[in-house]
């Protein structure tokens, strides 16, 4: 959300579904701005939609298998043989 909203070309790589551990939580009571609590699925769906709204690109079902961080641009390798280059 912050990267994309600042105008950076931003990509989120996820090997399964977006949401991570938080998406599996039935109820999150300690997240700032949700005094009545929120389900993990609701919170992460809102976060995903917010990031997409600012132009972040989602690459789901893509597993990162390698990271080359010494050269510029930095490169991530995917399990399917593809790769992506990024500044950060
Ligand atoms: C049941 C449960 C309840 C919780 N409840 C709370 C709570 O109430 N309050 C609280 O503050 N915290 C809670 N937590 C903890 C909180 O969810 C985590 O601290 C937080 O989600 C960590 O976020 P993260 O983005 O660092 O990592 P993660 O949420 O683990 O996200 C990492 C993501 O990267 C993906 N990934 C990993 N390796 C690769 C790879 N090689 N290629 C592509 N993708 C990859 C994973 O699939 C995952 O989606 C809970 C956790 C669980 C499991």
């Amino acid at each position: 959300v912050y990267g994309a909203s600042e105008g950076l070309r931003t990509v989120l790589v996820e090997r399964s579904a977006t949401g991570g551990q938080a998406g599996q939580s039935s109820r999150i009571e300690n997240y700032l701005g949700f005094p009545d609590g929120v389900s993990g699925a609701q919170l992460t769906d809102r976060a995903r939609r917010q990031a997409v709204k600012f132009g972040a690109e989602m690459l789901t079902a893509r597993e990162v298998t390698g990271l080359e961080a010494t050269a510029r641009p930095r490169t991530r390798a995917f399990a399917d043989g593809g790769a992506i280059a990024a500044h950060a």
Side-chain angles (χ1 to χ4, degrees):
V1 167
Y2 297 140
S5 67
E6 288 298 316
L8 299 173
R9 291 183 65 200
T10 305
V11 62
L12 185 151
V13 181
E14 171 55 58
R15 71 177 157 202
S16 52
T18 52
Q21 294 178 54
Q24 298 165 26
S25 179
S26 57
R27 197 87 192 151
I28 295 173
E29 299 283 357
N30 61 352
Y31 198 75
L32 192 67
F34 291 88
D36 302 320
V38 61
S39 78
Q42 284 178 322
L43 180 66
T44 56
D45 180 61
R46 285 167 177 246
R48 183 190 56 74
R49 288 192 285 120
Q50 196 173 11
V52 168
K53 183 184 81 172
F54 286 118
E57 183 180 352
M58 303 283 149
L59 286 182
T60 49
R62 301 290 289 275
E63 181 173 17
V64 174
T65 53
L67 169 64
E68 173 53 67
T70 52
R72 300 291 175 90
R74 298 173 173 87
T75 306
R76 287 113 189 89
F78 297 132
D80 64 6
I84 191 170
H87 290 293

